[in-house]
Amino acid sequence: MGVSNYENTKAKALYADNDALVFKDYATEKLGISKNRIKILLNDGADERDILLSVQEWLRRSAKPNKSDIYVFFAGHGLATDDGKGMYLLPYDGDPDYLEDSAIQRKELFADIQATKPRSVTVFLDTCYSGGTRNEEETLVASLRPIIITAKQQSIPSNFTVLSAAKGNQTSQSLEEAKHGLFSYYMMLGMEGGADANNDNKITARELHSFVLDK
């Protein structure tokens, strides 16, 4: 999923759609996933209904209980509730001012994925929850400057691995020269082989995390 342009906010998530398009290629070439088992949602094709249907219907039909390894990639805006307890991913039609009614709660998204009984789930999130954007001159919520919302840590299911661009009080950034999100660019560079620290032709989540963190 990649959303650069939103219906209800002028703040763009620069290059998020490009991140998702390129990750689709990496999913095929590096993760070995056949194209007919990849669902891609971009911009106005990634509204709340599209995303929920993809998870609750398409994924449920495609996954094999206790056998499937599921990979989820999301690039776009994220935002936390004022108390930091709710962490949301903003779909194309999401409204930052009506977050709980129009966005997708991360915890509920994970629960829907877990309901398919996968063997493992790996989630890549090129987003943040502070209310900032990839453009340093913009904020997602006008009243945020100079206030930052800090998202609280949340537990995740035991068979989930989550790699995220930012901690609860940080902002994810873009890399202008590469036309990608900073996290997405180095994460995919690591998948290309840069993260293979011990040169065994295998890349673990820990190796990929260390590579991206260093960059």
Side-chain angles (χ1 to χ4, degrees):
M1 295 167 279
V3 187
S4 292
N5 303 302
Y6 282 83
E7 184 176 38
N8 295 308
T9 176
K10 293 181 180 179
K12 293 184 177 181
L14 295 174
Y15 313 123
D17 48 1
N18 191 41
D19 291 337
L21 277 172
V22 175
F23 186 81
K24 183 185 76 167
D25 294 334
Y26 274 78
T28 301
E29 296 169 11
K30 304 301 179 183
L31 299 175
I33 302 170
S34 59
K35 291 182 179 180
N36 66 346
R37 297 184 69 79
I38 298 174
K39 186 81 167 178
I40 184 161
L41 306 174
L42 300 174
N43 295 316
D44 59 359
D47 62 21
E48 183 181 22
R49 182 177 182 273
D50 291 325
I51 293 174
L52 291 178
L53 280 177
S54 293
V55 173
Q56 296 173 359
E57 297 295 330
W58 180 81
L59 187 60
R60 179 180 55 81
R61 293 194 306 269
S62 302
K64 296 180 180 179
N66 305 312
K67 293 183 178 180
S68 290
D69 297 311
I70 295 174
Y71 298 88
V72 180
F73 177 91
F74 179 88
H77 288 320
L79 197 61
T81 52
D82 289 343
D83 61 8
K85 293 181 179 179
M87 298 168 69
Y88 287 82
L89 303 179
L90 202 65
Y92 167 77
D93 55 346
D95 191 329
D97 292 324
Y98 298 96
L99 192 63
E100 295 177 47
D101 294 323
S102 67
I104 295 173
Q105 190 168 17
R106 197 184 82 162
K107 182 171 65 174
E108 292 182 0
L109 177 67
F110 287 2
D112 285 341
I113 296 170
Q114 182 72 336
T116 67
K117 299 180 180 178
R119 178 169 62 180
S120 72
V121 179
T122 306
V123 184
F124 304 92
L125 297 175
D126 197 342
T127 186
C128 63
Y129 303 97
S130 66
T133 73
R134 294 184 179 197
N135 183 344
E136 293 181 4
E137 301 302 316
E138 293 181 325
T139 53
L140 192 56
V141 179
S143 63
L144 275 179
R145 192 172 290 148
I147 298 169
I148 282 186
I149 298 170
T150 300
K152 300 184 185 302
Q153 289 297 108
Q154 293 185 347
S155 61
I156 61 172
S158 59
N159 59 337
F160 275 55
T161 298
V162 179
L163 290 94
S164 182
K167 294 181 180 179
N169 61 347
Q170 296 174 331
T171 301
S172 63
Q173 296 291 317
S174 60
L175 191 61
E176 180 63 32
E177 56 268 34
K179 308 300 181 186
H180 276 295
L182 188 65
F183 169 83
S184 291
Y185 176 76
Y186 282 112
M187 183 266 294
M188 288 185 277
L189 193 65
M191 289 174 63
E192 256 182 23
D196 186 11
N198 59 3
N199 297 311
D200 65 350
N201 293 317
K202 297 177 182 178
I203 296 172
T204 66
R206 187 179 298 277
E207 283 178 319
L208 188 57
H209 174 267
S210 296
F211 177 83
V212 175
L213 185 63
D214 179 62
K215 298 301 181 184

